[in-house]
Coordinates of all heavy atoms in Angstrom, one line a residue:
K307 N -32.8 -8.9 4.6 CA -31.9 -10.1 4.6 C -30.5 -9.6 5.0 O -29.7 -10.4 5.6 CB -31.8 -10.7 3.2 CG -33.0 -11.4 2.8 CD -32.9 -12.0 1.4 CE -34.2 -12.3 0.8 NZ -34.1 -12.4 -0.7
I308 N -30.1 -8.3 4.7 CA -28.8 -7.8 5.1 C -29.1 -6.7 6.1 O -29.9 -5.8 5.9 CB -28.1 -7.1 3.9 CG1 -27.8 -8.2 2.8 CG2 -26.9 -6.4 4.3 CD1 -27.2 -7.6 1.5
K309 N -28.4 -6.9 7.3 CA -28.5 -5.8 8.3 C -27.3 -5.0 8.2 O -26.2 -5.5 8.0 CB -28.5 -6.5 9.7 CG -29.6 -7.6 9.9 CD -30.9 -7.0 10.5 CE -31.9 -8.1 10.7 NZ -32.6 -8.6 9.5
L310 N -27.5 -3.7 8.4 CA -26.3 -2.7 8.4 C -26.1 -2.1 9.8 O -27.1 -1.9 10.5 CB -26.6 -1.6 7.4 CG -26.8 -2.0 5.9 CD1 -27.2 -0.8 5.1 CD2 -25.6 -2.7 5.3
P311 N -24.9 -1.8 10.2 CA -23.7 -2.0 9.5 C -23.3 -3.5 9.5 O -23.6 -4.2 10.5 CB -22.7 -1.2 10.3 CG -23.3 -1.1 11.7 CD -24.8 -1.2 11.5
S312 N -22.5 -3.9 8.5 CA -22.0 -5.3 8.4 C -20.8 -5.3 7.5 O -20.4 -4.3 7.0 CB -23.2 -6.2 8.0 OG -23.7 -5.7 6.8
T313 N -20.4 -6.6 7.3 CA -19.3 -6.8 6.3 C -19.8 -7.8 5.2 O -20.7 -8.6 5.5 CB -18.0 -7.3 6.9 OG1 -18.4 -8.5 7.7 CG2 -17.3 -6.3 7.8
A314 N -19.3 -7.7 4.0 CA -19.7 -8.6 3.0 C -18.6 -8.9 2.0 O -17.7 -8.0 1.8 CB -20.9 -8.0 2.2
V315 N -18.6 -10.1 1.5 CA -17.6 -10.4 0.4 C -18.4 -10.5 -0.9 O -19.5 -11.1 -1.0 CB -16.8 -11.7 0.7 CG1 -17.7 -12.9 0.9 CG2 -15.8 -12.0 -0.5
L316 N -17.9 -9.7 -1.9 CA -18.6 -9.6 -3.2 C -17.7 -10.4 -4.2 O -16.5 -10.4 -4.0 CB -18.6 -8.1 -3.6 CG -19.7 -7.2 -3.1 CD1 -19.9 -7.2 -1.6 CD2 -19.4 -5.8 -3.6
C317 N -18.3 -10.9 -5.2 CA -17.5 -11.5 -6.2 C -18.2 -11.5 -7.6 O -19.4 -11.6 -7.6 CB -17.0 -12.9 -5.9 SG -18.4 -14.1 -5.6
G318 N -17.4 -11.4 -8.6 CA -18.0 -11.3 -10.0 C -17.1 -12.0 -10.9 O -15.9 -12.2 -10.7

Side-chain angles (χ1 to χ4, degrees):
K307 292 180 195 158
I308 297 177
K309 307 264 183 290
L310 300 175
S312 53
T313 51
V315 57
L316 279 49
C317 61

